[in-house]
Amino acid sequence: MPQVVLTLPKYKLTELKEHYRTSLKSSIPAHAAFSAKTSNCTITAYTSGKVLFQGRNPEAEADKWGDGTSRGKKEKSQSRRQHSFHPPESLFTSSHIGSDEAGTGDFFGPITVAAAYVQDHQIGQLKAIGVKDSKHLSDNQITHIAKQIVQMNIPYSLMRLNNTKYNEWQEKGWTQGKMKTLLHHQAIDKLLAKIEPHRPEGILIDQFSQPEVYQKHLRSEKKRLQDKVYFMTKAESYSLSVAVASILARSSFVKAMKQMELDTGLTIPKGASPAVDRAAAKVIKLYGEDKLREVAKFHFANREKAKKLL
Ligand code: MN
C-alpha cells in the first residue's frame, strides 16, 4: 500500500487534528495521538511528530502538510522514495516468504542467498530460539540457530554462487545487483515449488536495489516477478521470514569460509579489510594469483593491494 511519512512540528499536529476533525477514527494505534480516514488514505499522527499517510492516494493528503519546516521537507523527499512495493504492515504477522543474502561485501567466499517460508504459528517458536536480525548475532550464534531452524522443518531454499561462476559473470559485465536479483528470484521459485500447495501471503525481499532495477534485471533474462513480491530495506528487523533467511544465508557463507580455511590451510578473514589483503597475498604466494578466481571476488581492490604487499 502506498504511504508517505512526514515529520511535523508539534503545533502542526494540532492543526492537522483540527483539519480532519470530521474524519477522526475512534480507535487509534498504540503511541498515536490521533487517526483519521479520508477517501484518499488513513492518517495516523504519532506524539513524536511522525505522521503516516497510508492508502490509495496518500500524497493527496500529505502534500497539504509536507512543506512546513525544512525537516518536514527532508522527511518528505525520503518518503517519496518509498515505492509501491512496500509491504503492508499485516504481512509481518502472516505466513510469508522472506529472502536475504550474505557474502556480497566479502572479498573471499561465495554469495549466498536464502529464501524461507515461515507460517504465522511458527513465529513464536522462532523468536524463542533466538531468531532476530542476523547483524546482531555472532557467527557462532548464527550457526547454532541455523541448525535449530532446519530441525524445525522450516521450508527454505539456498543458492550458493561460487567464486568461479561469480568471476565469470562479473567478467561478462554483470553487476552484483544483477547476480543477486537472479539468485533471489531462483531461490524464491524453488521454495514456491517446494511448499505447494501452500500459497504464501506474500514474498518479502530484503531490498538491495530499487524494485524497477530488480525487474529490469529479470527482464534481461526473460524472467518476471512472482506474484505478491514486496521489497523493503532492513526487512530482517520487521519480518521473521527475512530474519530466518538472513541467518540461513549467513550460516551457509560462514560454513563455506570454514571449508576454505581447511582447503587452503590459511586463516581467511571475512570482509575486505587490510587483514584480507594480507591473506590474499598468502594465497597468491602459495597457490598463484589464479587461485583467487576460485576463492575470491577477483575484481575487488583487495587483489591489487595483495599484489603490492608481495
Ligand atoms: Mn540483506
Side-chain angles (χ1 to χ4, degrees):
M1 207 187 317
Q3 63 176 49
V4 174
V5 183
L6 299 181
T7 303
L8 299 174
K10 302 259 160 83
Y11 73 90
K12 277 266 182 192
L13 291 188
T14 320
E15 228 175 275
L16 229 79
K17 191 171 180 181
E18 175 62 17
H19 179 86
Y20 293 114
R21 65 185 179 279
T22 56
S23 329
L24 290 177
K25 287 169 69 178
S26 52
S27 66
I28 58 169
H31 308 295
F34 64 89
S35 183
K37 193 174 164 70
T38 72
S39 56
N40 289 315
C41 63
T42 300
I43 301 120
T44 310
Y46 292 89
T47 44
S48 63
K50 274 221 178 352
V51 185
L52 172 68
F53 300 83
Q54 194 173 38
R56 217 161 38 89
N57 189 12
E59 309 210 333
E61 298 298 340
D63 280 351
K64 297 176 186 168
W65 310 100
D67 50 4
T69 62
S70 58
R71 185 153 170 242
K73 261 185 193 157
K74 187 165 164 251
E75 285 281 334
K76 184 172 155 186
S77 67
Q78 281 173 349
S79 64
R80 277 286 157 77
R81 276 185 261 126
Q82 200 166 73
H83 44 65
S84 57
F85 289 93
H86 193 80
E89 198 77 22
S90 59
L91 186 70
F92 306 138
T93 49
S94 69
S95 305
H96 67 284
I97 286 179
S99 75
D100 199 7
E101 78 277 334
T104 57
D106 303 85
F107 177 60
F108 287 108
I111 288 182
T112 55
V113 174
Y117 177 53
V118 172
Q119 288 173 272
D120 48 9
H121 65 268
Q122 296 168 314
I123 291 176
Q125 195 183 346
L126 286 166
K127 281 186 180 164
I129 64 168
V131 172
K132 59 180 173 188
D133 187 345
S134 67
K135 287 179 194 74
H136 300 144
L137 297 166
S138 70
D139 284 345
N140 282 338
Q141 284 174 313
I142 283 171
T143 305
H144 179 71
I145 297 172
K147 279 187 190 138
Q148 289 178 281
I149 290 170
V150 172
Q151 277 166 12
M152 274 178 70
N153 286 321
I154 302 281
Y156 70 93
S157 68
L158 191 58
M159 310 297 303
R160 192 158 122 179
L161 177 63
N162 68 47
N163 293 99
T164 305
K165 193 85 197 163
Y166 175 97
N167 291 319
E168 252 171 52
W169 282 358
Q170 198 277 325
E171 278 153 30
K172 70 175 182 186
W174 286 25
T175 59
Q176 266 204 2
K178 178 164 179 173
M179 299 182 205
K180 286 191 267 184
T181 298
L182 291 166
L183 293 168
H184 276 266
H185 186 78
Q186 206 180 340
I188 292 163
D189 260 354
K190 278 189 164 183
L191 182 54
L192 284 170
K194 209 177 204 175
I195 65 174
E196 264 177 2
H198 277 264
R199 300 282 225 101
E201 289 298 318
I203 299 164
L204 181 56
I205 298 174
D206 187 39
Q207 187 180 326
F208 53 88
S209 68
Q210 286 300 319
E212 295 74 33
V213 178
Y214 186 99
Q215 291 181 88
K216 183 195 80 185
H217 289 318
L218 285 185
R219 278 196 302 275
S220 74
E221 297 300 312
K222 310 231 177 332
K223 295 177 194 302
R224 59 174 292 277
L225 205 58
Q226 294 97 344
D227 286 338
K228 293 200 251 181
V229 171
Y230 300 99
F231 297 85
M232 89 185 282
T233 53
K234 300 196 179 78
E236 67 275 17
S237 318
Y238 298 88
S239 153
L240 255 282
S241 303
V242 178
V244 164
S246 104
I247 288 171
L248 294 175
R250 180 76 190 170
S251 95
S252 165
F253 174 77
V254 169
K255 196 171 157 192
M257 294 296 275
K258 281 190 185 143
Q259 188 59 48
M260 194 185 294
E261 294 195 323
L262 290 175
D263 293 345
T264 58
L266 297 169
T267 302
I268 307 288
K270 302 176 185 88
S273 68
V276 169
D277 303 339
R278 292 191 291 275
K282 282 184 197 158
V283 170
I284 295 172
K285 205 170 167 187
L286 278 171
Y287 303 100
E289 192 182 353
D290 262 356
K291 177 74 178 172
L292 289 180
R293 287 184 187 278
E294 294 167 33
V295 297
K297 299 176 187 80
F298 207 61
H299 64 116
F300 274 33
N302 300 87
R303 176 168 62 103
E304 288 308 320
K305 289 183 191 159
K307 281 162 78 177
K308 282 200 189 108
L309 289 177
L310 288 169

